[in-house]
Amino acid sequence: MTRTSRTSSQRLPNGAKARAPLVLAALRVLYPAARTELEFRDPFELLVATVLSAQATDVSVNAATPALFEAYPDAAAMSRAEPEDIEPYIRRIGLYRAKAKNLALLARQLMERHGGEVPDNFDAVVALAGAGRKTANVVLSNAYGRPAIAVDTHVGRLSRRLGLSAQTNPDKVEADLMRLFDAADWIFLHHALILHGRRICLARRPLCGQCVMASFCPKIGVEEG
């Protein structure tokens, strides 16, 4: 799997290019220090936390990881664990059994393929158990400062509501955003969109009356699951 090209032929929504700088300017004012809300101290902890965050809240992940990382502080320690050893630490996180299996295998893969270190390489991260495109983008951008856009449900929803993309496939949303924004803004953009999706542009009842982007939002008042 390779990175999506910025030269995608898919069609952008009308007015997307004009709205993009307005969206970015508003997000810069609202969330100037936007960053991931996952708590981590090194690339390994970020990778594990991101795998755990699939279909789970960052709050639930952050509540579980301190004890998990005390028991398994690095890939070497976790590689010696069986899934049933990991399960008690993450039991309150959704899909914990499958995630425990992935973490045990992921740690072994890190040891076998990368000497226990999290690779600074998109394809190598994607190839790890439990990881995917979003996980790779989160790790590369937050741990290594690589320009990347991680498209989760918030980023996808806001991209459609704000008329930046008409796509429902996360990979295609990512491609649209990469075309609309400079690479230097990608990391900030996806963090700020996530924060706005959690605080204002809620999935079921967006707080449009409180949104500074209401004047140029083409989907204002439209509810989207």
Side-chain angles (χ1 to χ4, degrees):
M1 184 181 293
T2 57
R3 299 298 299 273
T4 300
S5 171
R6 296 186 70 182
T7 59
S8 171
S9 61
Q10 62 197 35
R11 184 175 180 180
L12 291 167
N14 291 335
K17 292 183 178 179
R19 274 190 299 277
L22 300 178
V23 170
L24 183 62
L27 293 174
R28 289 281 187 198
V29 171
L30 290 170
Y31 313 106
R35 60 180 297 277
T36 181
E37 293 188 312
L38 290 172
E39 297 173 358
F40 68 97
R41 294 171 296 185
D42 55 46
F44 174 73
E45 290 191 357
L46 176 60
L47 174 60
V48 170
T50 306
V51 169
L52 291 174
S53 71
Q55 299 184 50
T57 65
D58 289 357
V59 172
S60 68
V61 173
N62 291 337
T65 50
L68 177 67
F69 294 143
E70 183 176 355
Y72 307 110
D74 52 31
M78 190 172 285
S79 70
R80 295 189 288 270
E82 296 298 328
E84 54 267 29
D85 299 324
I86 297 172
E87 285 181 8
Y89 296 97
I90 62 173
R91 195 177 298 276
R92 295 185 179 181
I93 298 175
L95 306 176
Y96 75 93
R97 287 193 177 92
K99 291 175 180 178
K101 291 179 181 178
N102 283 331
L103 291 183
L105 178 55
L106 175 151
R108 293 180 184 122
Q109 291 171 335
L110 288 177
M111 295 302 295
E112 293 167 1
R113 302 174 186 176
H114 308 290
E117 300 298 321
V118 176
D120 182 6
N121 177 278
F122 181 84
D123 292 330
V125 176
V126 168
L128 297 170
R133 188 176 194 89
K134 188 192 85 169
T135 297
N137 283 335
V138 169
V139 171
L140 293 181
S141 61
N142 291 281
Y144 298 118
R146 299 283 187 181
I149 300 175
V151 178
D152 69 352
T153 56
H154 298 294
V155 174
R157 180 176 73 252
L158 268 67
S159 295
R160 290 186 289 276
R161 284 183 175 168
L162 291 167
L164 302 174
S165 176
Q167 307 298 325
T168 56
N169 181 292
D171 294 359
K172 293 183 178 181
V173 173
E174 180 188 346
D176 284 347
L177 296 178
M178 289 170 69
R179 292 164 63 194
L180 288 170
F181 297 91
D182 291 338
D185 297 316
W186 291 352
I187 298 175
F188 167 81
L189 176 71
H190 78 249
H191 288 317
L193 286 174
I194 289 170
L195 291 177
H196 199 62
R198 289 174 175 169
R199 299 176 184 179
I200 301 295
C201 196
L202 309 178
R204 298 189 180 279
R205 294 183 179 179
L207 306 177
C208 300
Q210 300 177 31
C211 184
V212 300
M213 291 184 270
S215 63
F216 56 82
C217 177
K219 299 291 186 182
I220 189 166
V222 175
E223 294 192 354
E224 181 176 332

